[in-house]
Amino acid sequence: MKNEPVIVIVGGGAAGISAAYHLIDEAAKHQPMPRMTIYVVESRPRIGAGNAYEADWETNLMNTRAGVISPVAGDPGHFLRWTQANTAVWKDQFPGWRVAADSFVPRPMLGLYLEHLFMETCRQALRCGSRVIPVHAEVVDLDVNGPNDLLVKTASNLTIRANHVILCQGHLPSREMGDLLAEPGVFVTPYPVRRVARSIDRTAEVGLIGSRLSAVDAMLGLAAAGHQGRIHVFSRSGRLPSVRGTQERYTPRIMTLDAVRQMVAAKGKLRLADMVGLVRAEIELAEGPGFDFASFFAPAPDPLTFLDREIEAAGQPRMWQAVLYASNAILEYAWHHMVEADKERFARDHFSHYIAFRVSIPVENAIRMRDLIRDGRVQVHAGPVAIEPRGADGRFRIVGDGAGEVTAVDTVIGCLGTPRDATKLDSPLLERLFAKGIARPDRFGGIQVDHGTGYVRGAGGVARDDLAAIGDLTAGTHFFTSVLEVLARHARLRAEAIVGSVAQAASGRVEKAPVRQAAAV
Ligand SMILES: Cc1cc2nc3c(=O)[nH]c(=O)nc-3n(C[C@H](O)[C@H](O)[C@H](O)COP(=O)(O)OP(=O)(O)OC[C@H]3O[C@@H](n4cnc5c(N)ncnc54)[C@H](O)[C@@H]3O)c2cc1C
């Protein structure tokens, strides 16, 4: 066992579990089977759920239907099959639930599944002569001794010498709320909602900063916990997420990877207008005659009208959603080949609208939210948001609508998600990587990685082939990484490359394994 290659996965959420699974799965395809030691280092007490699927209230619903949730690339039914074969495992914790292909299950149920998948991966590794070892620690530093010789250091003074490291740090906390964070009564994230709800006085007036999925989780969780104080939602656009219709998956006919490749071949670089044209043509085809594209994107006059319309529409197929979902297959490639100025324009002016349409919520949560707004228990404010520190009366003042009106609240909860700007992420490890020139921020989000291989680029833009990243840290390169399907595809590609190189090294050949390019390239 002494000279077995060592792989360290930093982060044991969905991406880390998917990476461990695919490394072992990939090893089993080789003859002879390479033996590896894989450490999964996770700072939380449990390995599997990560931030996205941690133990919390059942009001935190998945926004993907159970039939297509999977951290296993190419096997969309993996989670559903697990729920069917392991009812006894999850039924105790989720007694009121029946899981079918079209269900939106509580996210903690996925966390439980990921914990089980991790344990199964550990067992499978042993059967294959490898080892997957959980380590409960925070990775805070990394030293480079030489190629395929990295020292991974944890806050608990453990050092692991690794041949390959995969960063799967996921949704890192934000520093965006700056000095306010030190104030009692300020929460940087609404998660776990049950813990936040317990820490807040039931009659407190609450300000949620942000109006996307995490704000929906926060308001519904607080309401379910019997919160009585008014909840204010502040965001620049005031837009709430759209609501999922009844449609199944869709196979594009116009917006295909071949079509985008042909455009790139003909023009060299893509313009934003090229992509908008392609997506629009596909939506019009999928929706059929009579679909009015222009008025479709027009904002509703107020949140209640918006939700009423969305809830009504959710009873039918909404093919535009299926088209946007299917765009996962081309966006990564299209983004890579887009003119930089257009990328900048999209990131600055359109990204937040795109996300409001792309990431939708289940209708049951939309109905709960509409009822809260209708009853006056939730109020949505649109406009630039400014928060003043706690005043003499113990309250925070939030300027949060275009008219400059000030709202006083007792508690502030950040629902901003993970900032794309990596310098705003609260991660000692990233700070060290930036300081040492091992990684550098990507102007469009996360850290710079090579588009084809996922290897991290350091000073001088050079990608080293022993340090890879998967997930949100690669958002600037891969564009949309906040979905399990994309993480799983990347995890498999990274695993293929690493196991390929490990197998070659084991066979005595010195050359590096050819790295397969991302499927979409
Ligand atoms: C609230 C929420 C809801 C979502 N809902 C859906 C959905 O319904 N469907 C879908 O497909 N996708 C959803 N997503 C998208 C999500 O990005 C992916 O599905 C996936 O769960 C992300 O997994 P991850 O491992 O990259 O990140 P995370 O879940 O954030 O896990 C990262 C892990 O790394 C650990 N970590 C970080 N740094 C270190 C370090 N230095 N040392 C040790 N450990 C470290 C963290 O503690 C954490 O456990 C959701 C995301 C969020 C945030």
Side-chain angles (χ1 to χ4, degrees), residues 11 38 52 79 85 131 174 183 189 201 236 245 250 289 298 305 356 448 452 469 474 499:
I38 301 165
F79 168 70
R131 293 177 301 168
S174 163
E183 302 245 11
T189 152
D201 187 289
R236 183 178 288 273
Y250 174 81
T305 313
Q448 289 184 9
T474 67
V499 174

Side-chain angles (χ1 to χ4, degrees), residues 52-80:
Y53 310 120
E54 70 184 327
D56 204 345
W57 274 327
E58 293 180 12
T59 43
N60 290 1
L61 292 183
M62 292 295 293
N63 53 41
T64 314
R65 293 183 198 279
V68 289
I69 296 172
S70 177
V72 178
D75 185 0
H78 200 274
F79 168 70
L80 185 62

